[in-house]
Amino acid sequence: MAKVVGIDLGTTYSCIAYMEGTDPKVIPNLDGLLTTPSVVSITSSGERLIGNLAQRQAFTNPKNTIVAIKRLMGKKYDSEEAQETIQRMPYKLAEAANGDLMVELGSEKISPPEISAMILEYMKKCAESFFGEEVNEAVITVPAHFNDHQRQATKDSARIAGLEVLRIINEPTAASLGYGLNTNENATIAVYDMGGGTFDITLLEINDGVFHVLATNGNTYLGGEDFDNRIVDWLTDEFKREKEIDLSQDKLALQRVKEAAEKAKRELSFTSETEINLPFIYSVDSGSKHIQNKLTRQKLEELTKDLVEKSFPFIDQALEDANLEPEKIDDVILVGGQTRMPLIRSMISDFFRKEPKEQINPDEIVAMGAAIQSGILKGEMKDLILLLDVTPLSLGIETEKDQFIQIIEKNTTIPTKKTRAFTTVEHDQRRVRVHVLQGEEERASENMSLARFDLVGIESAPAGVPQIDVTFEIDADGIVKVSARDVATEREQHIEVKASSGLSSEQIDKIIKRQETGEL
Ligand code: AMP
């Protein structure tokens, strides 16, 4: 049988796994490592590098090294995430004519899904070299709170990479599968996931083998990188104080400081103090300047405690949505590399008044869960585990005076389908406009616009007479579909869907063609 894989497409690292019998196993990358930096770059000679190679040359080529692309998936140029990236990252972003976001890589402007596709393509290649055969199908994970645009963008990436997506599943759901929680037990679980760039909290219930997500919440802008940046700020402040030199404008130096900061942070999960040495970080007429600082775990905790606290309101909200108290949680699972930090473990333990479960590898567990899900979907698992997820955001439409009417509420189990009747407001009205949105705000304009639909070809009738049933559907991948039917004639109405962002099918085909000809 053709091999199927599970892929955790992470903000900082990605991981790919498969099922060996009933055991999920991580596939090593071409360098023999179990996780791959989600980094893409292009060298001055035009060579494209992915993963470890791209990461290794990042500090000599920061402008053409793209990191943390996941934060920009499905985002517009004027989004908060894009503006933050412009501030923080050495690479450049550009705005397409329709407001979409493009990333500058060499002389090209490339969309975020295309960059992610390069990472997926590399992961696919690693699996193919491992198995010695082609791999064309995958289960891919996304943060639980990803909206429709972000899920769609992830699917587009897979298509560009030549992978058929069997299912998009939420990362915390995959993690619970990966932890192999005894599905015969009934339990309520909290999954606290802090990776490189995003934070998610998900509350799940396992009931007779059914995983039911009760509530999810999170922040796309809270993760390991914020911890790194705190160390970077501390180091550059100290440098400024001691040497009166401001490193904040020197992108090359900053990149080196950032790498050293991340390394120190990792070390401090296992030791109580570490040395940060960066020789020749700056040259002045009187000679070279070096960074040489000692960082203790205690100091790191002081610098970053508030970042852990920042995750608490999201947990409170999820508990409230699920109508639960912290004491009602039976198991706490930690996911994502950042949760290796002892401070997180102890603060979460205090919050839930319960020790989190013994750590497996928090950066491999999601991919392993995705592989298990692929096994379930392919019917390879003996005891079928049903998997139910919920939609993280409410889905609805705009009505008069900028009002947002929710049609499918957040935390509804997916797949789901709801139909709502519409009618006309004018005599002889032949067309009805429906604006579909996702979000929790009362004002339509404050939610994410998904699409505008024109229901055309309505038969001539007085106002309020035609009944048009519009069906809102969220599939198992969390992707939204809308269709309409004229009840009187029983005819399906023609709907023009104008996606308001992301890549069109034609654009994706063009990208695939361009890749086949070997151009960037
Ligand atoms: P992930 O996206 O789940 O692979 O998480 C990556 C994040 O975890 C990065 O910010 C890493 O710096 C961080 N990380 C990895 N290992 C450790 C560790 N031992 N201690 C603290 N943070 C870590």
Side-chain angles (χ1 to χ4, degrees):
M1 196 188 280
K3 296 283 184 209
V4 196
V5 290
I7 303 177
D8 169 12
L9 184 58
T11 308
T12 41
Y13 287 89
S14 294
C15 185
I16 180 166
Y18 75 107
M19 291 306 284
E20 197 176 272
T22 53
D23 289 332
K25 292 262 158 68
V26 173
I27 300 171
N29 67 17
L30 299 178
D31 295 313
L33 301 167
L34 298 181
T35 58
T36 299
S38 304
V39 183
V40 172
S41 75
I42 189 154
T43 63
S44 52
S45 59
E47 195 188 352
R48 195 197 291 167
L49 302 174
I50 319 274
N52 299 91
L53 287 177
Q55 192 182 46
R56 240 174 269 152
Q57 56 83 71
F59 81 86
T60 53
N61 184 23
K63 282 191 181 144
N64 284 311
T65 302
I66 316 299
V67 298
I69 195 66
K70 187 171 171 181
R71 279 193 175 158
L72 302 175
M73 291 286 276
K75 296 284 172 191
K76 291 277 191 187
Y77 182 77
D78 60 9
S79 66
E80 204 182 304
E81 288 79 3
Q83 295 311 309
E84 262 289 341
T85 299
I86 292 169
Q87 294 281 317
R88 279 272 181 200
M89 296 293 178
Y91 59 86
K92 283 205 174 121
L93 300 184
E95 186 173 9
N98 62 355
D100 276 1
L101 177 68
M102 305 298 271
V103 180
E104 290 190 14
L105 186 60
S107 57
E108 299 278 331
K109 289 191 177 68
I110 300 180
S111 67
E114 263 180 281
I115 303 278
S116 287
M118 293 174 194
I119 300 163
L120 285 176
E121 220 172 40
Y122 175 80
M123 305 303 284
K124 176 177 178 320
K125 206 157 98 185
C126 296
E128 288 174 342
S129 122
F130 180 79
F131 295 126
E133 62 181 86
E134 253 190 70
V135 174
N136 297 313
E137 292 177 315
V139 168
I140 299 180
T141 61
V142 294
H145 60 267
F146 253 26
N147 66 28
D148 185 64
H149 285 323
Q150 293 165 303
R151 285 166 198 266
Q152 196 62 60
T154 307
K155 267 197 144 176
D156 290 347
S157 299
R159 213 183 122 198
I160 296 168
L163 281 169
E164 189 197 324
V165 178
L166 286 181
R167 182 70 59 86
I168 297 268
I169 61 168
N170 291 335
E171 287 160 9
T173 313
S176 329
L177 282 172
Y179 262 92
L181 286 169
N182 189 346
T183 53
N184 298 321
E185 268 172 32
N186 291 347
T188 308
I189 307 152
V191 183
Y192 183 99
D193 178 356
M194 195 177 274
T198 57
F199 162 68
D200 281 295
I201 177 76
T202 302
L203 305 174
L204 298 133
E205 194 178 57
I206 305 182
N207 251 328
D208 303 324
V210 178
F211 283 72
H212 186 190
V213 182
L214 300 173
T216 81
N217 216 299
N219 184 343
T220 30
Y221 208 83
L222 181 61
E225 270 183 71
D226 300 304
F227 290 69
D228 304 345
N229 288 333
R230 286 291 167 85
I231 305 175
V232 170
D233 291 346
W234 175 73
L235 284 172
T236 52
D237 283 352
E238 290 280 298
F239 194 74
K240 199 169 174 184
R241 201 169 49 80
E242 286 167 17
K243 316 261 183 352
E244 292 178 356
I245 295 169
D246 181 9
L247 286 180
S248 65
Q249 299 310 314
D250 184 342
K251 293 202 161 151
L252 217 80
L254 269 189
Q255 187 63 34
R256 280 182 69 196
V257 175
K258 207 169 152 95
E259 272 180 27
E262 202 246 358
K263 191 164 157 273
K265 177 190 74 176
R266 284 178 186 247
E267 281 170 13
L268 290 174
S269 292
F270 306 101
T271 58
S272 56
E273 65 174 63
T274 185
E275 281 268 336
I276 301 171
N277 284 313
L278 288 164
F280 309 106
I281 196 75
Y282 199 86
S283 291
V284 280
D285 293 342
S286 55
S288 297
K289 302 283 174 200
H290 320 290
I291 285 181
Q292 190 170 26
N293 287 67
K294 191 176 85 180
L295 180 61
T296 61
R297 184 188 286 178
Q298 196 185 1
K299 180 70 189 171
L300 172 66
E301 294 184 346
E302 224 173 85
L303 292 171
T304 57
K305 186 164 182 259
D306 67 301
L307 291 174
V308 188
E309 281 164 350
K310 250 182 151 175
S311 67
F312 292 167
F314 298 97
I315 310 180
D316 287 332
Q317 186 61 51
L319 285 166
E320 196 183 318
D321 288 346
N323 215 356
L324 284 173
E325 299 292 324
E327 299 78 34
K328 290 278 182 311
I329 302 292
D330 300 309
D331 281 313
V332 179
I333 293 179
L334 299 179
V335 179
Q338 188 56 45
T339 65
R340 287 185 196 249
M341 186 182 192
L343 178 71
I344 295 190
R345 206 178 165 86
S346 73
M347 285 175 76
I348 291 308
S349 165
D350 289 347
F351 186 98
F352 287 103
R353 283 162 229 135
K354 175 164 280 107
E355 272 294 313
K357 258 194 153 1
E358 206 42 60
Q359 201 107 312
I360 313 183
N361 276 338
D363 25 25
E364 294 166 13
I365 199 75
V366 170
M368 282 158 70
I372 295 174
Q373 176 67 357
S374 75
I376 296 169
L377 289 170
K378 282 283 167 186
E380 289 168 7
M381 301 290 284
K382 271 207 208 103
D383 303 313
L384 183 83
I385 312 162
L386 276 178
L387 184 64
L388 297 178
D389 252 333
V390 296
T391 173
L393 297 163
S394 299
L395 179 69
I397 52 154
E398 177 181 351
T399 59
E400 282 165 282
K401 299 199 186 105
D402 196 25
Q403 273 218 8
F404 177 56
I405 302 281
Q406 294 182 356
I407 290 173
I408 296 177
E409 281 183 27
K410 76 168 174 180
N411 291 330
T412 302
T413 304
I414 54 171
T416 184
K417 202 175 184 178
K418 274 206 182 138
T419 300
R420 187 118 173 179
F422 288 89
T423 188
T424 53
V425 289
E426 282 168 25
H427 179 70
D428 192 27
Q429 187 179 332
R430 313 299 287 265
R431 167 189 289 259
V432 173
R433 172 153 283 198
V434 183
H435 186 192
V436 184
L437 301 136
Q438 213 171 22
E440 311 309 320
E441 303 300 328
E442 279 178 18
R443 290 161 71 102
S445 53
E446 287 171 8
N447 292 298
M448 162 76 69
S449 170
L450 290 189
R452 288 170 203 274
F453 294 88
D454 277 338
L455 311 186
V456 296
I458 298 167
E459 283 184 353
S460 178
V465 171
Q467 185 187 332
I468 298 134
D469 282 346
V470 182
T471 302
F472 294 79
E473 200 178 341
I474 304 181
D475 69 13
D477 296 331
I479 288 176
V480 176
K481 289 178 188 149
V482 183
S483 59
R485 194 176 69 97
D486 186 339
V487 174
T489 60
E490 294 233 333
R491 271 205 319 257
E492 292 280 328
Q493 289 292 301
H494 173 68
I495 303 173
E496 291 167 29
V497 185
K498 294 190 187 78
S500 46
S501 87
L503 297 171
S504 67
S505 205
E506 294 79 47
Q507 278 173 308
I508 295 173
D509 288 341
K510 226 189 243 171
I511 292 165
I512 294 172
K513 212 166 266 161
R514 204 168 62 192
Q515 283 191 343
E516 280 168 1
T517 58
E519 292 165 37
L520 184 67

mmCIF file of all heavy atoms in Angstrom, residues 22-36:
data_model
loop_
_atom_site.group_PDB
_atom_site.id
_atom_site.type_symbol
_atom_site.label_atom_id
_atom_site.label_comp_id
_atom_site.label_asym_id
_atom_site.label_seq_id
_atom_site.Cartn_x
_atom_site.Cartn_y
_atom_site.Cartn_z
ATOM 1 N N THR A 22 1.254 -0.374 14.094
ATOM 2 C CA THR A 22 0.375 0.514 14.859
ATOM 3 C C THR A 22 1.177 1.566 15.629
ATOM 4 O O THR A 22 0.644 2.245 16.493
ATOM 5 C CB THR A 22 -0.497 -0.294 15.849
ATOM 6 O OG1 THR A 22 0.383 -1.111 16.622
ATOM 7 C CG2 THR A 22 -1.516 -1.164 15.142
ATOM 8 N N ASP A 23 2.484 1.669 15.316
ATOM 9 C CA ASP A 23 3.330 2.649 16.012
ATOM 10 C C ASP A 23 3.686 3.821 15.108
ATOM 11 O O ASP A 23 4.192 3.623 14.002
ATOM 12 C CB ASP A 23 4.653 2.003 16.465
ATOM 13 C CG ASP A 23 4.434 1.047 17.597
ATOM 14 O OD1 ASP A 23 3.472 1.263 18.357
ATOM 15 O OD2 ASP A 23 5.208 0.072 17.696
ATOM 16 N N PRO A 24 3.480 5.042 15.590
ATOM 17 C CA PRO A 24 3.937 6.174 14.795
ATOM 18 C C PRO A 24 5.451 6.337 14.939
ATOM 19 O O PRO A 24 5.991 6.194 16.032
ATOM 20 C CB PRO A 24 3.192 7.355 15.427
ATOM 21 C CG PRO A 24 2.867 6.936 16.813
ATOM 22 C CD PRO A 24 2.785 5.441 16.824
ATOM 23 N N LYS A 25 6.139 6.617 13.815
ATOM 24 C CA LYS A 25 7.595 6.790 13.838
ATOM 25 C C LYS A 25 7.949 8.075 13.086
ATOM 26 O O LYS A 25 7.377 8.351 12.017
ATOM 27 C CB LYS A 25 8.279 5.612 13.112
ATOM 28 C CG LYS A 25 8.148 4.292 13.847
ATOM 29 C CD LYS A 25 9.421 4.030 14.668
ATOM 30 C CE LYS A 25 9.203 3.067 15.808
ATOM 31 N NZ LYS A 25 8.926 1.703 15.419
ATOM 32 N N VAL A 26 8.914 8.809 13.623
ATOM 33 C CA VAL A 26 9.344 10.044 12.957
ATOM 34 C C VAL A 26 10.337 9.695 11.845
ATOM 35 O O VAL A 26 11.197 8.823 12.021
ATOM 36 C CB VAL A 26 9.975 11.017 13.977
ATOM 37 C CG1 VAL A 26 10.581 12.224 13.287
ATOM 38 C CG2 VAL A 26 8.919 11.468 14.981
ATOM 39 N N ILE A 27 10.196 10.367 10.707
ATOM 40 C CA ILE A 27 11.104 10.135 9.577
ATOM 41 C C ILE A 27 12.242 11.163 9.654
ATOM 42 O O ILE A 27 11.972 12.367 9.733
ATOM 43 C CB ILE A 27 10.338 10.311 8.234
ATOM 44 C CG1 ILE A 27 9.186 9.311 8.156
ATOM 45 C CG2 ILE A 27 11.286 10.189 7.043
ATOM 46 C CD1 ILE A 27 8.244 9.547 6.988
ATOM 47 N N PRO A 28 13.502 10.703 9.637
ATOM 48 C CA PRO A 28 14.593 11.684 9.694
ATOM 49 C C PRO A 28 14.684 12.480 8.392
ATOM 50 O O PRO A 28 14.316 11.985 7.327
ATOM 51 C CB PRO A 28 15.842 10.816 9.877
ATOM 52 C CG PRO A 28 15.449 9.447 9.456
ATOM 53 C CD PRO A 28 13.964 9.317 9.593
ATOM 54 N N ASN A 29 15.167 13.710 8.492
ATOM 55 C CA ASN A 29 15.341 14.502 7.272
ATOM 56 C C ASN A 29 16.648 14.106 6.579
ATOM 57 O O ASN A 29 17.346 13.194 7.026
ATOM 58 C CB ASN A 29 15.238 16.008 7.561
ATOM 59 C CG ASN A 29 16.377 16.531 8.419
ATOM 60 O OD1 ASN A 29 17.410 15.890 8.556
ATOM 61 N ND2 ASN A 29 16.178 17.702 8.994
ATOM 62 N N LEU A 30 16.996 14.791 5.504
ATOM 63 C CA LEU A 30 18.157 14.373 4.717
ATOM 64 C C LEU A 30 19.465 14.542 5.493
ATOM 65 O O LEU A 30 20.488 13.975 5.123
ATOM 66 C CB LEU A 30 18.207 15.136 3.378
ATOM 67 C CG LEU A 30 16.979 14.906 2.474
ATOM 68 C CD1 LEU A 30 17.082 15.721 1.199
ATOM 69 C CD2 LEU A 30 16.791 13.419 2.134
ATOM 70 N N ASP A 31 19.421 15.321 6.580
ATOM 71 C CA ASP A 31 20.608 15.454 7.441
ATOM 72 C C ASP A 31 20.552 14.483 8.614
ATOM 73 O O ASP A 31 21.363 14.576 9.542
ATOM 74 C CB ASP A 31 20.702 16.884 8.005
ATOM 75 C CG ASP A 31 20.934 17.896 6.900
ATOM 76 O OD1 ASP A 31 21.808 17.640 6.057
ATOM 77 O OD2 ASP A 31 20.236 18.928 6.875
ATOM 78 N N GLY A 32 19.555 13.612 8.629
ATOM 79 C CA GLY A 32 19.440 12.624 9.698
ATOM 80 C C GLY A 32 18.798 13.160 10.967
ATOM 81 O O GLY A 32 18.816 12.496 12.001
ATOM 82 N N LEU A 33 18.215 14.374 10.903
ATOM 83 C CA LEU A 33 17.609 14.965 12.100
ATOM 84 C C LEU A 33 16.096 14.771 12.098
ATOM 85 O O LEU A 33 15.477 14.681 11.030
ATOM 86 C CB LEU A 33 17.941 16.460 12.164
ATOM 87 C CG LEU A 33 19.450 16.754 12.200
ATOM 88 C CD1 LEU A 33 19.723 18.218 11.947
ATOM 89 C CD2 LEU A 33 20.031 16.301 13.535
ATOM 90 N N LEU A 34 15.520 14.731 13.304
ATOM 91 C CA LEU A 34 14.095 14.391 13.389
ATOM 92 C C LEU A 34 13.167 15.592 13.223
ATOM 93 O O LEU A 34 11.986 15.431 12.951
ATOM 94 C CB LEU A 34 13.813 13.661 14.706
ATOM 95 C CG LEU A 34 14.573 12.331 14.854
ATOM 96 C CD1 LEU A 34 14.232 11.664 16.164
ATOM 97 C CD2 LEU A 34 14.296 11.387 13.681
ATOM 98 N N THR A 35 13.686 16.786 13.420
ATOM 99 C CA THR A 35 12.874 17.969 13.097
ATOM 100 C C THR A 35 13.675 18.834 12.128
ATOM 101 O O THR A 35 14.906 18.818 12.121
ATOM 102 C CB THR A 35 12.495 18.804 14.339
ATOM 103 O OG1 THR A 35 13.686 19.219 14.994
ATOM 104 C CG2 THR A 35 11.616 18.037 15.310
ATOM 105 N N THR A 36 12.946 19.576 11.304
ATOM 106 C CA THR A 36 13.564 20.375 10.245
ATOM 107 C C THR A 36 13.194 21.836 10.427
ATOM 108 O O THR A 36 11.993 22.147 10.542
ATOM 109 C CB THR A 36 13.040 19.895 8.861
ATOM 110 O OG1 THR A 36 13.400 18.530 8.704
ATOM 111 C CG2 THR A 36 13.602 20.706 7.718
#
